[in-house]
């Protein structure tokens, strides 16, 4: 064989051997798998190793990331299973921090302040498992907007002491379509054990009271559990609150427009009689049971605000310092001090535009005046019964005067 032929055979054998080596290097055979050359097997081991290094702690943030119309009371919470929380931060979209507290077992966290409506919040949480491995979770949500929520403004105030005639009155800032659902979220109870019923005067107002006046010395509790209650289509409640108020002594005063005297009773016994001046024949005072809803040591009374105007459109009266004034109706009936009338008027003539006047002095500074005595001895929620005026009985929804509706009618206005 010539040297040239021998060289060609060696080159061919070398090329074939090289091909075998290349094919062996890319093979998926058993030998390659045992040596760690398989891509699938390598990835599986990588995933397994990563899993072994990951924390077992499972963090849950509510509401879910991206939620809208979230509650401002109960929605925000962070919990962890298979671990303990090591840190939680909650901020508004502009970075303002929200205070919160971790439970003693470090399994949960909640904000300690009520959230704001129509606000986006961001939550970042960190936890560790029993091996000290760290887990993280983040979420963002937006609370319910004012347009999609309702609140009820209630009276009386929490912690107040009121008279026996004080109803619970709630005025909603949105018209309530599902009254039954909203009423179900409101409970009113008394330590006296009296049955309490609620009555809807309109889509925006609900009052609650017992059949008879509250028992003196009792405690009344109002619970608002309206958070998340759908009061109208797409409009949800946001309140979750408990209010208590106390009932003082039983004081009911009787105004007699015919005798022009007022008798103040406590526990059914007359404790004082005060001469009064009620509405004139042209401007008679409403009759009926009226509840004192506001007290002002001095206030302005302008006839134009209640429809009493002269030909020039100005009020028939405008007194800027009416002393010892207490509101009896929403339409403007007061029982108040009168310093501009002659002393002979009180007990002698009915001269007012519909209010009940008591003798007083300008400036409300003389405690010896009948008006001052009555003001000092009256509570919000005391009842003033006006009789013999010749006028109609005051409407039950004019002020806090639902006592002018009998019990059957009252209960018929319930949505429960």
């Amino acid at each position: 064989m010539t040297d040239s032929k021998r060289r060609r055979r060696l080159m061919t054998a070398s090329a074939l051997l090289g091909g075998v080596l290349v094919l062996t290097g890319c093979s998926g055979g058993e030998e390659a798998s045992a040596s760690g050359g398989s891509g699938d097997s390598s990835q599986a081991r990588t995933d397994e190793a990563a899993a072994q290094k990951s924390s077992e702690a499972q963090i849950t943030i509510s509401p879910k990331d991206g939620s809208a119309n979230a509650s401002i009371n109960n929605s925000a919470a962070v919990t962890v299973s298979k671990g303990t929380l090591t840190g939680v931060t909650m901020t508004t979209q502009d970075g303002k921090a929200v205070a919160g507290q971790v439970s003693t077992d470090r399994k949960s966290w909640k904000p300690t302040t009520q959230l704001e409506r129509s606000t986006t919040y961001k939550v970042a949480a960190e936890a560790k498992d029993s091996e000290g491995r760290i887990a993280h979770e983040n979420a963002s949500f937006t609370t319910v907007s004012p347009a999609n929520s309702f609140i009820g403004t209630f009276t009386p105030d929490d912690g107040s002491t009121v008279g026996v005639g004080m109803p619970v009155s709630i005025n909603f800032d949105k018209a309530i379509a599902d009254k039954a659902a909203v009423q179900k979220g409101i409970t009113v109870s008394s330590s006296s054990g009296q049955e309490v019923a609620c009555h809807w005067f309109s889509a925006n107002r609900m009052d609650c009271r017992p059949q008879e006046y509250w028992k003196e010395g009792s405690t009344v509790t109002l619970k608002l559990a309206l958070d998340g209650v759908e009061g109208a289509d797409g409009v949800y409640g946001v309140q979750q609150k408990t209010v208590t108020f106390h009932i003082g002594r039983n004081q009911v005063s009787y105004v007699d427009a015919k005798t022009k005297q007022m008798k103040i009773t406590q526990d059914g016994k007359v404790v004082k009689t005060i001469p009064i001046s009620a509405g004139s024949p042209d401007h008679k005072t409403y009759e009926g049971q009226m509840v004192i809803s506001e007290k002002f040591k001095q206030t302005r009374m302008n006839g134009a605000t209640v429809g009493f105007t002269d030909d020039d459109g100005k009020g028939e009266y405008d007194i800027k310092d009416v002393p010892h004034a207490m509101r009896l109706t929403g339409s403007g009936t007061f029982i108040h001090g009168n310093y501009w009338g002659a002393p002979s008027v009180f007990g002698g003539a009915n001269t007012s535009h519909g209010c009940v006047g008591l003798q007083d002095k300008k400036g409300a500074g003389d405690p010896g005046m009948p008006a001052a005595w009555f003001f000092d001895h009256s509570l919000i929620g005391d009842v003033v019964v006006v009789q013999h005026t010749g006028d109609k009985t005051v409407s039950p929804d004019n002020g806090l005067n639902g006592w002018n509706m009998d019990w059957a009618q009252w209960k018929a206005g319930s949505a429960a």
Side-chain angles (χ1 to χ4, degrees):
M1 182 182 293
T2 63
D3 289 342
S4 61
K5 288 182 179 180
R6 184 181 294 111
R7 284 195 295 270
R8 283 197 297 269
R9 289 177 178 177
L10 290 173
M11 289 175 64
T12 301
S14 176
L16 290 170
L17 181 61
V20 170
L21 290 173
V22 170
L23 289 171
T24 301
C26 296
S27 171
E30 293 181 0
E31 183 180 351
S33 177
S35 65
S38 169
D40 291 344
S41 180
S42 177
Q43 184 63 53
R45 283 194 295 274
T46 300
D47 292 343
E48 182 180 358
Q52 290 175 350
K53 293 179 181 179
S54 295
S55 175
E56 292 185 350
Q58 300 292 322
I59 301 172
T60 301
I61 298 175
S62 61
K64 293 182 180 180
D65 186 39
S67 296
N69 290 327
S71 164
I72 63 173
N73 295 293
N74 297 322
S75 62
V78 179
T79 58
V80 63
S81 61
K82 297 182 181 181
T84 55
L85 291 170
T86 55
V88 178
T89 59
M90 183 174 182
T91 58
T92 59
Q93 199 167 22
D94 58 5
K96 182 181 178 181
V98 176
Q101 185 173 16
V102 178
S103 63
T104 54
D105 62 3
R106 306 199 69 80
K107 294 288 187 180
S108 63
W109 176 96
K110 286 186 176 182
T112 53
T113 58
Q114 189 180 64
L115 306 185
E116 299 293 331
R117 286 190 286 180
S118 198
T119 302
T120 298
Y121 291 93
K122 297 180 179 181
V123 181
E126 179 185 281
K128 66 179 180 180
D129 63 11
S130 59
E131 300 296 326
R133 294 170 295 193
I134 300 299
H136 294 271
E137 194 70 44
N138 294 274
S140 176
F141 64 89
T142 303
T143 52
V144 64
S145 69
N148 295 106
S149 61
F150 70 89
I151 61 171
T153 302
F154 57 85
T155 189
D157 294 332
D158 187 28
S160 59
T161 297
V162 297
V164 296
M166 188 71 193
V168 171
S169 184
I170 305 172
N171 287 273
F172 299 99
D173 64 347
K174 303 280 195 314
I176 302 301
D178 193 343
K179 295 177 181 177
V182 171
Q183 188 172 330
K184 185 178 179 181
I186 299 172
T187 58
V188 181
S189 60
S190 172
S191 62
S192 66
Q194 291 172 275
E195 177 190 359
V196 180
C198 297
H199 182 96
W200 289 86
F201 284 117
S202 68
N204 294 83
R205 177 182 171 184
M206 184 183 79
D207 286 15
C208 306
R209 67 168 178 88
Q211 183 173 3
E212 306 293 340
Y213 300 145
W214 301 106
K215 300 295 184 183
E216 65 175 287
S218 59
T219 298
V220 180
T221 301
L222 162 66
K223 291 185 179 181
L224 299 172
L226 297 174
D227 188 52
V229 175
E230 191 170 17
D233 187 23
V235 180
Y236 300 89
V238 296
Q239 288 170 296
Q240 184 165 302
K241 189 176 183 66
T242 298
V243 175
T244 60
F245 59 94
H246 306 285
I247 306 301
R249 75 287 175 273
N250 184 327
Q251 179 169 303
V252 180
S253 301
Y254 297 86
V255 171
D256 189 327
K258 187 174 182 179
T259 64
K260 303 170 188 63
Q261 301 290 320
M262 177 172 66
K263 293 182 178 181
I264 298 93
T265 69
Q266 291 187 359
D267 297 321
K269 299 179 181 179
V270 177
V271 295
K272 193 174 183 66
T273 300
I274 296 176
I276 61 93
S277 177
S280 70
D282 292 333
H283 305 293
K284 297 172 184 176
T285 306
Y286 287 128
E287 292 189 358
Q289 303 171 75
M290 304 183 209
V291 175
I292 296 174
S293 59
E294 290 182 291
K295 292 179 66 179
F296 305 97
K297 190 168 184 179
Q298 293 189 85
T299 191
R300 178 185 180 184
M301 291 187 179
N302 186 336
T305 64
V306 289
F308 294 123
T309 58
D310 293 323
D311 293 339
D312 59 5
K314 294 182 179 181
E316 293 182 11
Y317 58 87
D318 187 1
I319 306 170
K320 297 180 174 62
D321 57 352
V322 177
H324 298 122
M326 292 179 281
R327 181 182 291 277
L328 298 179
T329 71
S331 61
T333 306
F334 281 76
I335 183 166
H336 61 78
N338 178 334
Y339 65 78
W340 52 91
S344 60
V345 166
F346 306 101
N350 292 322
T351 61
S352 80
H353 282 75
C355 291
V356 177
L358 288 68
Q359 187 179 6
D360 209 344
K361 286 188 177 178
K362 187 179 178 67
D366 188 344
M369 288 287 100
W373 184 95
F374 186 63
F375 185 90
D376 292 340
H377 288 79
S378 294
L379 295 172
I380 298 292
D382 280 349
V383 180
V384 177
V385 182
V386 182
Q387 303 169 313
H388 306 138
T389 68
D391 200 17
K392 64 182 180 181
T393 299
V394 65
S395 175
D397 63 346
N398 188 357
L400 303 177
N401 299 324
W403 301 104
N404 296 287
M405 183 180 292
D406 68 40
W407 189 234
Q409 290 177 306
W410 184 265
K411 294 180 74 174
S414 171

